[in-house]
């Protein structure tokens, strides 16, 4: 401070930075200690502006240090996950020919997937216990259980995941459940009636079915598309099946837009991605 009429100030600030992956998991941490430039102020009314400018300057310097960190640069350029997924060997998904054929059977062949942090949904794709869900449903494996429509619980094995495309393949020791038939056709018709099956709230709402239409097809990446639907979907629906009136799977519930004035905008991963991304071969 020079006088009661003004002065100069600067800020010294320590910041802890975390690099998060798409699923909010911390994969790298870094601390920076930076000092801002000097900022003048003229009287008390001007002091708050100088404080804000000093803070912003110190944070910007810290951000530059963070972005120039060797590990951060390495992570920004990391393509190991793409390489890993491209090297998947095919997994044969077998069936005895007896598939889900209506919406009642679709409910019976859908499951709830529980962890200590919450729950999601899934569905059976083989007569020997293979199950599909979202990767983000099983990122936390503590207490991981699969609960069938008859309330029987299984401890699943995670056979394969695609972090990039938010898909996971689980396996349970059961041959009691009837598998869904998977539609691998890439020609998805807008305005088609669809049904979402899953556990939208608590477990007492397991295997709830809601109706909607395919509202649009959206590009997520140059080679990746999402199904947009107005079916009633909530967070617990993640990983559940999107089916037609015959119970044939045409997509996997993945996300929903939330916000004031936003309603009826949810998204699903097309069913053909089970073959393209998880390298599943349906026999």
């Amino acid at each position: 401070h020079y006088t009661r009429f003004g002065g100069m100030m600067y800020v010294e600030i320590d910041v802890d930075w975390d690099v998060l992956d798409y699923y909010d998991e911390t994969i790298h941490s870094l601390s920076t200690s930076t000092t801002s430039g000097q900022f003048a102020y003229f009287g008390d009314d001007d002091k708050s502006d100088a404080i804000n400018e000093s803070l912003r300057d110190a944070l910007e310097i810290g951000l530059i240090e963070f972005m120039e960190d060797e590990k951060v640069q390495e992570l920004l350029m990391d393509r190991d996950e793409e390489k890993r997924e491209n090297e998947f060997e095919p997994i044969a998904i077998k069936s005895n020919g007896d598939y889900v054929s209506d919406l009642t059977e679709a409910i019976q062949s859908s499951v709830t997937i529980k962890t200590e942090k919450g729950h999601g949904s899934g569905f059976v794709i083989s007569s020997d216990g293979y199950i599909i869900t979202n990767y983000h449903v099983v990122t936390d494996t503590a207490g991981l259980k699969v609960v069938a429509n008859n309330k029987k619980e299984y401890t699943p094995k995670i056979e394969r995941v695609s972090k990039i495309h938010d898909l996971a393949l689980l396996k349970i020791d059961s041959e009691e459940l009837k598998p869904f038939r998977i539609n691998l056709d890439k020609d998805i018709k807008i305005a088609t009636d669809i049904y979402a099956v899953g556990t939208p709230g608590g477990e007492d709402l397991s295997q709830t079915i809601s109706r909607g239409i395919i509202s649009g097809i959206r590009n997520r990446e140059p080679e990746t598309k999402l199904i947009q639907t107005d079916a009633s979907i909530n967070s617990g629906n993640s990983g559940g099946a999107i089916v037609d009136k015959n119970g044939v799977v045409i997509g996997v519930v993945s996300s929903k837009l939330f916000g004031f004035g936003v309603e009826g905008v949810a998204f699903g991963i097309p069913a053909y991605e089970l073959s393209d991304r998880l390298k599943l071969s349906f026999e």
Side-chain angles (χ1 to χ4, degrees):
H1 299 280
Y2 293 147
T3 69
R4 63 189 178 89
F5 299 108
M8 300 286 289
M9 69 170 62
Y10 65 90
V11 167
E12 294 177 347
I13 189 168
D14 297 332
V15 180
D16 296 327
W17 305 86
D18 285 333
V19 182
L20 307 181
D21 65 13
Y22 183 80
Y23 302 98
D24 288 340
E25 297 293 324
T26 300
I27 55 177
H28 178 55
S29 298
L30 176 70
S31 296
T32 59
S33 298
T34 58
T35 302
S36 72
Q38 295 190 34
F39 290 82
Y41 65 94
F42 304 96
D44 290 340
D45 292 342
D46 198 36
K47 187 182 291 186
S48 62
D49 289 340
I51 292 173
N52 289 336
E53 289 296 322
S54 299
L55 283 169
R56 185 173 69 177
D57 190 54
L59 284 170
E60 287 178 351
I61 295 170
L63 176 60
I64 292 170
E65 288 188 16
F66 168 73
M67 294 297 292
E68 290 180 343
D69 178 70
E70 183 176 346
K71 180 62 176 179
V72 173
Q73 289 287 318
E74 178 185 325
L75 289 168
L76 288 171
M77 299 301 294
D78 181 27
R79 296 295 180 269
D80 286 348
E81 193 64 29
E82 290 181 10
K83 181 179 178 181
R84 185 187 71 84
E85 294 188 13
N86 288 334
E87 294 176 350
F88 282 159
E89 293 293 330
I91 294 178
I93 303 299
K94 299 179 180 180
S95 172
N96 56 15
D98 186 17
Y99 291 101
V100 167
S101 60
D102 57 37
L103 296 177
T104 299
E105 292 182 344
I107 292 173
Q108 295 169 353
S109 293
S110 295
V111 299
T112 300
I113 298 174
K114 299 193 305 181
T115 69
E116 290 183 356
K117 291 186 177 180
H119 76 274
S121 303
F123 56 95
V124 179
I125 62 168
S126 77
S127 55
D128 58 349
Y130 279 113
I131 290 171
I132 290 293
T133 187
N134 287 143
Y135 170 71
H136 76 258
V137 171
V138 296
T139 50
D140 176 26
T141 58
L144 182 61
K145 296 288 183 181
V146 169
V147 185
N149 186 54
N150 61 7
K151 306 304 180 183
K152 187 172 181 179
E153 289 194 1
Y154 303 86
T155 299
K157 178 182 178 183
I158 300 176
E159 294 284 348
R160 176 169 291 177
V161 300
S162 171
K163 296 182 181 181
I164 297 173
H165 299 96
D166 196 20
L167 292 169
L169 178 69
L170 312 182
K171 181 72 165 58
I172 61 173
D173 185 17
S174 174
E175 296 186 3
E176 301 175 357
L177 303 175
K178 186 178 294 188
F180 284 85
R181 188 185 298 275
I182 309 299
N183 184 352
L184 300 178
D185 189 356
K186 295 187 177 182
D187 184 19
I188 301 172
K189 304 294 186 183
I190 295 177
T192 300
D193 286 340
I194 58 92
Y195 303 84
V197 189
T199 308
E203 289 181 55
D204 55 335
L205 298 178
S206 61
Q207 284 71 63
T208 296
I209 189 166
S210 60
R211 181 179 179 180
I213 64 169
I214 296 178
S215 307
I217 307 298
R218 307 302 175 193
N219 292 322
R220 184 170 63 175
E221 298 171 7
E223 297 180 359
T224 305
K225 298 183 183 299
L226 289 175
I227 298 170
Q228 180 183 332
T229 178
D230 65 345
S232 178
I233 284 174
N234 293 283
S235 57
N237 282 105
S238 293
I242 298 174
V243 302
D244 64 17
K245 63 181 180 180
N246 298 315
V248 177
V249 175
I250 59 177
V252 183
V253 175
S254 62
S255 60
K256 178 182 179 179
L257 293 184
F258 291 95
F260 180 76
V262 177
E263 188 59 47
V265 183
F267 299 95
I269 302 164
Y272 62 76
E273 297 282 29
L274 301 179
S275 175
D276 291 356
R277 307 304 180 182
L278 290 180
K279 298 296 188 293
L280 305 184
S281 173
F282 294 91
E283 299 180 356

